Amino acid sequence: AQSVAQPEDQVNVAEGNPLTVKCTYSVSGNPYLFWYVQYPNRGLQFLLKYITGDNLVKGSYGFEAEFNKSQTSFHLKKPSALVSDSALYFCAVRDSGSWGKFQFGAGTQVVVTP
Amino acid sequence: ETGVTQTPRHLVMGMTNKKSLKCEQHLGHNAMYWYKQSAKKPLELMFVYSLEERVENNSVPSRFSPECPNSSHLFLHLHTLQPEDSALYLCASSQAPSGSTEETQYFGPGTRLLVL
């Protein structure tokens, strides 16, 4: 079985400050990890993914995420948040042996204030 | 978001109606997915089609009936729905593995469904 947890329903941060959105996962095999962002009335947009290789993954819009196998985490980070980063962020995981069977977290609402 | 389109964007239907949701992808992918997104809940994977064959059906009630006539189009036929089926229905597409070990899903804007 696979699962993913986003422990925070909402993250509030001031513009210009660092932003972190947390994600932990559980899979039986090797994890494939993804982050997506959803703006109001829009579908999910792909940000970045970890499949293998370097634990630090860089993605769109200045976001990055670090894969930590010992802590089974894949936290999303941005050094300096923008008001336009305010959106709903989803972490997703699938086991390397389970093609197509993505497990999404419940989402974390990010609010960036000016 | 022109890669994956969904119609209609909004739909209101009674419990006795029959309607269909349509998804079209312009990315050359060969796998398509239906998800249900309800408030405060994780996305629920409903159906997966790979190479036009259904490969996943996550215990979805029979009042939801998918159809994938070709690799670019995916439908979700709805009949005798319940109010708890009100949600955002998202379509996604990806490239099914053919030597690759991973895929990224690309999502449409969704259809907001309200069942009265």
Side-chain angles (χ1 to χ4, degrees), chain A residues 9 32 34 36 38 41-46 49 51 88 90 94 96 98-107, chain B residues 1 9 31 33 35 37 41-43 45 48 50 55-56 88 90 96-97 101-105 107-109:
Chain A
D9 289 338
Y32 292 167
F34 301 77
Y36 287 84
Q38 185 178 33
N41 301 313
R42 306 281 290 276
L44 276 66
Q45 296 179 34
F46 169 72
K49 65 187 176 189
I51 304 300
L88 188 57
F90 291 93
R94 78 161 178 88
S96 58
S98 302
W99 178 85
K101 299 181 182 179
F102 281 75
Q103 185 73 45
F104 281 81
Chain B
E1 291 184 6
R9 293 294 305 274
Y33 310 75
Y35 285 89
Q37 184 180 19
K41 294 175 66 176
L43 266 70
L45 178 62
V48 181
S50 174
V55 297
E56 184 70 19
L88 181 68
L90 291 165
T101 57
E102 54 81 18
E103 75 284 354
T104 297
Q105 295 186 351
F107 285 79

Side-chain angles (χ1 to χ4, degrees), chain B residues 19-111:
Chain B
K19 297 286 184 182
S20 294
L21 309 185
K22 178 182 177 182
C23 176
E24 184 173 359
Q25 61 93 4
H26 312 272
L27 300 170
H29 291 158
N30 57 12
M32 299 187 77
Y33 310 75
W34 278 118
Y35 285 89
K36 176 183 179 183
Q37 184 180 19
S38 304
K40 306 294 185 184
K41 294 175 66 176
L43 266 70
E44 301 173 43
L45 178 62
M46 301 175 72
F47 302 103
V48 181
Y49 276 83
S50 174
L51 302 173
E52 301 158 35
E53 293 200 11
R54 192 188 310 179
V55 297
E56 184 70 19
N57 179 342
N58 265 0
S59 302
V60 179
S62 59
R63 56 185 183 269
F64 295 92
S65 175
E67 178 189 1
C68 187
N70 55 62
S71 60
S72 299
H73 295 85
L74 183 66
F75 295 89
L76 187 62
H77 304 299
L78 316 172
H79 64 97
T80 60
L81 293 192
Q82 304 299 310
E84 60 264 29
D85 296 322
S86 299
L88 181 68
Y89 288 85
L90 291 165
C91 173
S93 71
S94 74
Q95 188 62 28
S98 54
S100 65
T101 57
E102 54 81 18
E103 75 284 354
T104 297
Q105 295 186 351
Y106 293 87
F107 285 79
T111 295

Side-chain angles (χ1 to χ4, degrees), chain A residues 22-94:
Chain A
K22 296 179 180 178
C23 173
T24 58
Y25 66 89
S26 175
V27 296
S28 55
N30 294 319
Y32 292 167
L33 295 152
F34 301 77
W35 275 103
Y36 287 84
V37 60
Q38 185 178 33
Y39 297 98
N41 301 313
R42 306 281 290 276
L44 276 66
Q45 296 179 34
F46 169 72
L47 278 179
L48 51 78
K49 65 187 176 189
Y50 171 83
I51 304 300
T52 187
D54 195 345
N55 289 347
L56 183 63
V57 178
K58 294 187 182 297
S60 306
Y61 312 120
F63 284 94
E64 59 186 30
E66 186 167 12
F67 169 63
N68 187 318
K69 187 173 183 178
S70 62
Q71 297 185 6
T72 60
S73 67
F74 190 57
H75 302 328
L76 181 70
K77 299 181 180 181
K78 186 171 183 179
S80 178
L82 301 172
V83 173
S84 58
D85 293 327
S86 298
L88 188 57
Y89 290 79
F90 291 93
C91 181
V93 66
R94 78 161 178 88

